[in-house]
Amino acid sequence: TMDGPAPVVMFIYGGGWAAGDRFEYDFVGRAFAANGYVAVIPDYRKYPEVVYPDFLSDNASAIKWIEQNIELYGGDTSRFFLAGHSAGAYNSVMLALDGSYLREYGVTMPIRAVAGISGPYNFYPFEYDEVRRAFGDAPNPEGTQPVNLVTAEAPPMFLVNGTSDPIVRPQNTDAMAQALRA
């Protein structure tokens, strides 16, 4: 039993901004719930339906829904966290670093911390077709890179990756951690 509202975590799944479904991640929601969190795993539009930055806007819209509704599910809006894997880690970190997406939806609830698992944070120039499709027409490609958006206002971040990840290379996490420390 819980004393009062529970902390809230929104988990954003990966899939190269082109695949994935919230129902594949019910195990993540159950794990967070078992540890005392109210967990939210939103779906978001992906390539080819949308390209950057629309998937970020969709996740910002989900955060606004949380801000307006999560108390009905026992959640505490003053303890809101983001977590994500791969492309979802990118989305989580971007939403925490670039406030324009949350402002677009009128979100005032602070992001207390972010957990990123195997996230691409420093992948320009775009090497892979999957990334070029999702980001290729971005007017400011450097501005799509979380490593370039770190400021002193960034919330605390927990970043992890496998040392031999062949898809999202460890340099992404290393570069992001270095930027955050600086």
Side-chain angles (χ1 to χ4, degrees):
T1 62
M2 314 248 311
D3 298 327
V8 179
V9 63
M10 181 171 120
F11 178 83
I12 306 174
Y13 56 78
W17 303 282
D21 182 287
R22 70 178 184 256
F23 295 112
E24 297 170 35
Y25 294 89
D26 66 333
F27 72 97
V28 173
R30 291 177 197 285
F32 279 121
N35 284 282
Y37 290 85
V38 174
V40 178
I41 304 175
D43 273 323
Y44 56 96
R45 294 173 298 161
K46 295 165 282 291
Y47 180 87
E49 185 181 354
V50 300
V51 296
Y52 171 90
D54 294 342
F55 39 81
L56 292 169
S57 294
D58 288 355
N59 283 294
S61 174
I63 293 171
K64 183 61 178 180
W65 182 91
I66 290 169
E67 183 175 49
Q68 292 175 324
N69 296 284
I70 207 65
E71 289 173 359
L72 300 171
Y73 300 89
D76 181 354
T77 56
S78 73
R79 294 186 292 160
F80 174 68
F81 304 90
L82 284 174
H85 170 251
S86 196
Y90 169 89
N91 292 359
S92 296
V93 167
M94 279 295 286
L95 290 165
L97 295 178
D98 183 343
S100 68
Y101 299 103
L102 300 183
R103 282 192 300 274
E104 177 185 351
Y105 288 93
V107 173
T108 59
M109 171 177 68
I111 297 168
R112 295 294 180 195
V114 178
I117 306 163
S118 301
Y121 313 115
N122 185 31
F123 56 95
Y124 183 77
F126 304 138
E127 295 178 57
Y128 302 107
D129 286 342
E130 155 181 272
V131 172
R132 277 196 288 270
R133 286 191 295 265
F135 289 87
D137 293 329
N140 173 18
E142 290 86 352
T144 68
Q145 302 301 290
V147 72
N148 296 332
L149 303 178
V150 174
T151 67
E153 286 75 48
M157 295 193 187
F158 174 74
L159 306 174
V160 294
N161 65 273
T163 55
S164 56
D165 186 331
I167 298 171
V168 180
R169 291 193 292 273
Q171 70 86 11
N172 282 274
T173 296
D174 295 342
M176 189 68 193
Q178 187 175 358
L180 287 163
R181 283 189 200 103

